């Protein structure tokens, strides 16, 4: 693997899930793979799980890790040809090249504006790092995608599935703040590549990007959609059509124990208790949220391992005559 910016960078999803589960059983088996290699993680936005699990994953592979809360630095300019006489102090063209001299892999978290839809869809920040750094880039949640979360979710479904083709439902839930569509987008993309019976339920007007959800069943009746589900993945997202808006916070869409029935509950975290989901679900054995968070380490580790193997191969090919 040369990079992991979106799910399509993985060639064989079932195989990578199997490899991640093998790593989970013996996390230090490739301790020498990352020797003398550095991962630089750049955070434009806050994180708990992504920050810690990715660092742990890199250290399990023997890498050195440097983490920069880049939003505390000066503002970077991403537009080409701009006269930089406003509040940006350094262009991505220099910044990315400079960082690449200190790193072997760059990992970036940069949320969407939720204001400028076209800019967000163009993934300007993460794609600029990839373009100008010329080294592998790992997506720690970008404007439209959270592929490491989706890989951890796929691993979790694989581990807890009791049938060959489980029924998986993605359900919208209310939230007071405008949240990105990235987790939902990547989950939908991932589910399309797995042997699952997948559908989405959300209120009207909360349609996701139709390029991502085409061919997926959408049911506006949550109760009906959740019937006989094995896994209910719950997430809030703001409107895509009325971009970035919270159109309503219908509390009837909160997930309750009653609605869940016998299904397992999944959420990427952080989650707002008794807004998105009631305590009785999160505090029950049917909640997989802690297992999902644990699998973030092995999702990151399998991706970093594959990138390191590619890098090491390149280095070997450069030596000798
Ligand atoms: N799920 C997730 O990405 O968590 P953090 O925002 O804490 O990294």
């Amino acid at each position: 693997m040369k990079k992991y910016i979106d799910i399509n960078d993985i060639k064989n999803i079932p195989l990578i899930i199997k490899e991640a589960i093998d790593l989970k059983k013996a996390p230090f088996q490739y301790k020498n793979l990352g020797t003398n290699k550095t991962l630089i993680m750049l955070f434009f936005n806050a994180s708990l799980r992504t920050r810690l699990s990715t660092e742990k994953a890199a250290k399990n592979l023997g890498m050195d890790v440097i983490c920069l809360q880049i939003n505390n630095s000066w503002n970077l300019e991403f537009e080409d040809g701009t006269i930089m006489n406003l509040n940006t102090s350094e262009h991505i063209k220099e910044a990315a090249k400079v960082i690449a001299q200190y790193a072997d892999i760059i990992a970036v978290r940069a949320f969407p504006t939720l204001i400028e839809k076209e800019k967000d869809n163009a993934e300007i920040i993460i794609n600029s790092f990839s373009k100008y750094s010329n080294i592998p880039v790992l997506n720690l949640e970008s404007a439209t995608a959270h592929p490491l979360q989706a890989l951890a979710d796929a691993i979790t479904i694989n581990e807890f599935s009791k049938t060959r083709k489980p029924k998986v439902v993605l359900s919208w839930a209310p939230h007071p703040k405008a949240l990105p569509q990235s987790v939902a987008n990547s989950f939908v993309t991932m589910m399309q590549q797995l042997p699952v019976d997948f559908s989405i339920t959300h209120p009207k007007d909360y349609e996701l990007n139709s390029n991502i959800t085409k061919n997926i069943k959408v049911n506006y009746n949550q109760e009906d959609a959740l019937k006989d589900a094995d896994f209910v993945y719950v997430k809030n997202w703001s409107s895509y059509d009325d971009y970035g808006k919270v159109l309503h916070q219908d509390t009837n869409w909160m997930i309750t124990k009653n609605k869940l029935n016998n299904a397992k509950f999944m959420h990427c975290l952080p989650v707002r208790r008794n807004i998105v989901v009631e305590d009785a679900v999160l505090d029950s054995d049917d909640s997989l949220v802690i297992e999902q968070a644990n699998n973030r380490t092995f999702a990151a580790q399998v991706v970093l391992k594959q990138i390191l193997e590619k890098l090491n191969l390149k280095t070997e090919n450069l030596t000798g005559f």
Side-chain angles (χ1 to χ4, degrees):
M1 194 186 298
K2 286 187 188 157
K3 59 180 167 53
Y4 189 46
I5 291 181
D6 75 43
I7 288 165
N8 296 325
D9 291 321
I10 299 178
K11 294 279 175 295
N12 185 333
I13 302 244
L15 201 66
I16 206 166
I17 292 173
K18 187 182 171 308
E19 203 179 335
I21 292 171
D22 286 345
L23 282 173
K24 190 172 178 178
K25 289 179 192 146
F28 307 112
Q29 60 183 307
Y30 296 98
K31 187 76 189 167
N32 296 326
L33 191 65
T35 305
N36 298 333
K37 294 276 191 289
T38 301
L39 171 70
I40 291 190
M41 297 201 288
L42 305 171
F43 284 88
F44 288 85
N45 309 94
S47 168
L48 188 154
R49 279 144 289 273
T50 306
R51 161 79 176 73
L52 297 176
S53 62
T54 310
E55 178 160 347
K56 182 162 166 51
K59 288 184 170 167
N60 286 353
L61 295 166
M63 296 187 81
D64 292 318
V65 181
I66 301 171
C67 187
L68 180 67
Q69 203 65 42
I70 198 162
N71 55 339
N72 294 338
S73 316
W74 44 84
N75 289 331
L76 292 179
E77 178 61 57
F78 288 88
E79 297 288 337
D80 225 3
T82 320
I83 298 168
M84 289 170 54
N85 60 354
L86 292 173
N87 64 347
T88 53
S89 307
E90 177 161 6
H91 202 280
I92 183 66
K93 288 183 181 179
E94 285 78 49
K97 286 193 178 84
V98 168
I99 295 165
Q101 295 179 116
Y102 312 141
D104 298 281
I105 302 172
I106 298 177
V108 180
R109 165 165 283 200
F111 289 170
T113 62
L114 289 181
I115 298 166
E116 296 178 278
K117 187 177 192 172
E118 274 181 24
K119 256 191 187 170
D120 289 345
N121 280 342
E123 291 284 12
I124 287 172
I125 297 182
I126 197 147
N127 284 337
S128 298
F129 274 103
S130 188
K131 181 175 173 185
Y132 296 117
S133 72
N134 217 13
I135 65 171
V137 168
L138 185 62
N139 186 341
L140 300 179
E141 188 172 347
S142 62
T144 67
H146 198 355
L148 280 175
Q149 180 66 53
L151 183 54
D153 299 334
I155 296 165
T156 311
I157 290 173
N158 185 291
E159 286 178 321
F160 283 86
S161 188
K162 291 190 180 126
T163 61
R164 277 195 172 276
K165 193 173 181 186
K167 177 173 172 177
V168 181
V169 183
L170 169 65
S171 177
W172 181 93
H175 197 286
K177 282 177 69 181
L179 297 187
Q181 296 95 25
S182 52
V183 169
N185 288 343
S186 289
F187 188 72
V188 172
T189 309
M190 181 60 85
M191 289 305 109
Q192 283 173 295
Q193 302 199 35
L194 294 182
V196 295
D197 169 9
F198 181 60
S199 60
I200 307 175
T201 182
H202 59 70
K204 279 190 177 144
D205 302 327
Y206 274 102
E207 271 74 15
L208 291 162
N209 181 342
S210 58
N211 291 327
I212 295 171
T213 57
K214 58 176 176 251
N215 307 324
I216 304 281
K217 283 172 280 177
V218 175
N219 188 341
Y220 297 125
N221 182 328
Q222 191 192 41
E223 194 186 327
D224 187 44
L226 299 190
K227 250 181 227 152
D228 301 324
D230 296 296
F231 297 91
V232 177
Y233 196 101
V234 181
K235 186 73 186 82
N236 170 270
W237 57 87
S238 56
S239 171
Y240 182 72
D241 290 335
D242 195 354
Y243 193 59
K245 297 281 187 312
V246 176
L247 301 176
H248 61 75
Q249 298 177 40
D250 188 346
T251 52
N252 291 323
W253 279 77
M254 181 176 82
I255 296 294
T256 61
K257 195 98 178 77
N258 202 26
K259 284 184 194 175
L260 200 61
N261 203 8
N262 291 321
K264 293 289 183 194
F265 171 81
M266 298 181 74
H267 190 283
C268 62
L269 299 182
V271 69
R272 293 202 181 209
R273 281 176 173 252
N274 304 310
I275 297 280
V276 172
V277 54
E278 69 176 2
D279 283 340
V281 173
L282 280 170
D283 295 334
S284 77
D285 290 342
D286 291 327
S287 171
L288 298 183
V289 297
I290 305 302
E291 284 83 356
Q292 284 173 265
N294 187 31
N295 282 333
R296 290 295 308 273
T297 299
F298 307 103
Q301 193 167 334
V302 72
V303 167
L304 285 170
K305 175 181 171 282
Q306 292 206 357
I307 294 174
L308 284 169
E309 283 167 346
K310 191 90 184 170
L311 279 177
N312 288 349
L313 201 65
K314 210 164 139 190
T315 314
E316 276 168 27
N317 289 342
L318 284 175
T319 56
F321 292 98

